[in-house]
Amino acid sequence: MADERYSDTTTTTAAPAEHTTTIIERRSGGSGIAITLVLLVAVVIGAFFLFNQNSAESRKDDAVASAARSVGAAADKAGDAISGETK
């Protein structure tokens, strides 16, 4: 968090003008940068796992489709054998 310190100094002399000095000092601990880096790393890791999960789902879907084609081809062969047709 930022620490702020305000100092007001008023000096009065025989002169009719009044002299006022205001010093504003801001200090920042830099914790915002650390939090940003941690969040960025978390987003990158989450995206990595999300893309890997989608890739795994695609491979699973392709395997199921391939198995279905194989079963369909076997069923066609069995049907042809039963009816006596040859291809």
Side-chain angles (χ1 to χ4, degrees):
M1 293 203 325
D3 295 327
E4 296 182 2
R5 182 175 60 184
Y6 296 99
S7 299
D8 291 331
T9 305
T10 304
T11 306
T12 307
T13 60
E18 189 175 297
H19 178 69
T20 303
T21 303
T22 302
I23 300 171
I24 300 174
E25 189 175 316
R26 290 187 162 190
R27 297 180 189 167
S28 178
S31 62
I33 294 172
I35 291 171
T36 302
L37 287 175
V38 168
L39 288 175
L40 181 63
V41 168
V43 167
V44 168
I45 290 172
F48 177 75
F49 283 116
L50 180 65
F51 288 132
N52 277 342
Q53 182 181 6
N54 285 341
S55 178
E57 287 291 324
S58 294
R59 286 192 303 263
K60 184 175 82 172
D61 291 344
D62 290 342
V64 169
S66 176
R69 280 191 296 273
S70 295
V71 169
D76 287 341
K77 285 182 183 179
D80 291 344
I82 291 172
S83 66
E85 297 178 16
T86 57
K87 287 188 176 181

